Amino acid sequence: MKRGTARAIDRSVVLLATLCLAGHSYHVPSARFWSSVLQNRSYLLLALLVVVAVFGALTPFESWRARSLSKRNVIMRRRILVTFGRILEIGNKIDPPLETGDLALHVWQRRRSLCHPVSGKLRRLSTYRMAAAPANRSFSPRKGVGAVGLCWEKDHEYTFDATEIAGKLITERDFIQHMVDRGAESVMNLTWQDFNRVKHRTALFAVPIRNGRNKFAGCLSVDASRGYQTLNQPALIEEMTKLGLDIASDDFECT
């Protein structure tokens, strides 16, 4: 049971009990109906009041779900940190070494929004890096946009080395001409504004996370300011894929 489902059950119980009390007070559907229901059962009104108080104040189902999630959260965080440590070991081979906090692991989930009610967009749930406060620039791409969006569109792992274009595309005119010559996918279908926001991350890797129906539900991504050739190896994709399976089985609840 998801935490949202547990919360919905608590609220539904409160709503039903409240409607029953209101129906009795206002004789809906009729006073005769409530007389027959409460005949020799006056304790039912007290029971409904207790239900409203308990489920409204204590939310037992949601509280139970939160307690069960706490243990799973510790296990999943440990699993993520172990994987991130292995990814850092791969990144340690980059020469010269990356700065502390450069290499990052991100968890993305596909979520519907008012602007994209059908296909949805990717929302970054969490970031792991060797920094006290990971600073991420705002980025919530739709399908086909950015490395994670292209991972979604192609529905398989996606890698991109942006070193060349990050150094070459200095002006918007250069950017547009490059798209005309090589196609929009050569700049990951980004706009000039989005490209300027993310071009400082040139080594990009993304692996899909699929739900129980084998449908794309989100993805994992790893990025760094440089070192694409060093990071681009099967060991990195394998670690990301295994972690993605664990996150999928947990339904993104403990990321």
Side-chain angles (χ1 to χ4, degrees), residues 52-115:
V52 171
V54 170
F55 279 82
L58 302 179
T59 58
F61 281 99
E62 186 178 2
S63 299
W64 166 76
R65 184 57 180 161
R67 287 193 298 272
S68 65
L69 276 177
S70 62
K71 294 180 180 179
R72 287 172 51 197
N73 187 61
V74 171
I75 295 172
M76 178 55 69
R77 290 299 175 92
R78 185 180 300 158
R79 175 72 182 88
I80 292 173
L81 291 175
V82 167
T83 298
F84 183 53
R86 291 170 180 164
I87 292 173
L88 287 174
E89 288 180 3
I90 297 172
N92 286 339
K93 299 175 184 177
I94 297 173
D95 188 28
L98 295 172
E99 294 183 6
T100 302
D102 191 320
L103 190 66
L105 169 68
H106 310 275
V107 181
W108 305 79
Q109 185 180 23
R110 176 188 174 188
R111 289 193 175 175
R112 292 179 175 83
S113 64
L114 290 176
C115 296

Side-chain angles (χ1 to χ4, degrees), residues 224-250:
S225 61
R226 54 186 171 82
Y228 174 85
Q229 298 300 331
T230 302
L231 292 170
N232 187 26
Q233 54 179 287
L236 176 68
I237 300 300
E238 182 180 349
E239 290 294 338
M240 294 172 67
T241 301
K242 288 191 292 186
L243 179 58
L245 291 172
D246 290 338
I247 291 175
S249 65
D250 194 61

Side-chain angles (χ1 to χ4, degrees), residues 11-247:
R11 291 178 178 177
S12 297
V13 171
V14 172
L15 177 61
L16 289 172
T18 303
L19 287 175
C20 289
L21 290 170
H24 172 261
S25 298
Y26 292 98
H27 307 302
V28 178
S30 68
R32 191 174 190 179
F33 168 80
W34 286 107
S35 295
S36 62
V37 170
L38 296 176
Q39 187 176 16
N40 299 323
R41 301 186 191 93
S42 57
Y43 59 86
L44 288 178
L45 289 178
L46 178 61
L48 288 172
L49 287 171
V50 171
V51 167
V52 171
V54 170
F55 279 82
L58 302 179
T59 58
F61 281 99
E62 186 178 2
S63 299
W64 166 76
R65 184 57 180 161
R67 287 193 298 272
S68 65
L69 276 177
S70 62
K71 294 180 180 179
R72 287 172 51 197
N73 187 61
V74 171
I75 295 172
M76 178 55 69
R77 290 299 175 92
R78 185 180 300 158
R79 175 72 182 88
I80 292 173
L81 291 175
V82 167
T83 298
F84 183 53
R86 291 170 180 164
I87 292 173
L88 287 174
E89 288 180 3
I90 297 172
N92 286 339
K93 299 175 184 177
I94 297 173
D95 188 28
L98 295 172
E99 294 183 6
T100 302
D102 191 320
L103 190 66
L105 169 68
H106 310 275
V107 181
W108 305 79
Q109 185 180 23
R110 176 188 174 188
R111 289 193 175 175
R112 292 179 175 83
S113 64
L114 290 176
C115 296
H116 299 83
V118 179
S119 61
K121 298 177 75 174
L122 287 174
R123 177 188 170 193
R124 180 160 31 202
L125 297 183
S126 56
T127 293
Y128 297 85
R129 70 168 87 227
M130 295 294 290
N136 295 317
R137 301 188 183 184
S138 176
F139 192 53
S140 184
R142 64 184 187 278
K143 189 175 185 178
V145 176
V148 290
L150 283 164
C151 173
W152 177 6
E153 182 178 70
K154 298 177 184 298
D155 199 23
H156 60 69
E157 61 271 9
Y158 182 84
T159 70
F160 192 87
D161 184 1
T163 305
E164 180 183 354
I165 61 173
K168 185 173 68 172
L169 306 182
I170 306 301
T171 66
E172 186 174 4
R173 182 177 179 180
D174 295 334
F175 180 82
I176 293 173
Q177 188 60 52
H178 184 84
M179 281 202 301
V180 171
D181 294 340
R182 302 193 184 183
E185 194 170 321
S186 66
V187 290
M188 297 177 285
N189 297 316
L190 295 168
T191 64
W192 168 244
Q193 291 75 18
D194 284 339
F195 176 75
N196 261 333
R197 280 208 304 270
V198 301
K199 69 178 183 181
H200 63 296
R201 314 300 286 171
T202 64
L204 306 168
F205 305 85
V207 168
I209 298 174
R210 297 185 178 89
N211 59 24
R213 295 172 295 159
N214 203 32
K215 300 293 185 181
F216 184 94
C219 65
L220 280 170
S221 71
V222 167
D223 58 56
S225 61
R226 54 186 171 82
Y228 174 85
Q229 298 300 331
T230 302
L231 292 170
N232 187 26
Q233 54 179 287
L236 176 68
I237 300 300
E238 182 180 349
E239 290 294 338
M240 294 172 67
T241 301
K242 288 191 292 186
L243 179 58
L245 291 172
D246 290 338
I247 291 175

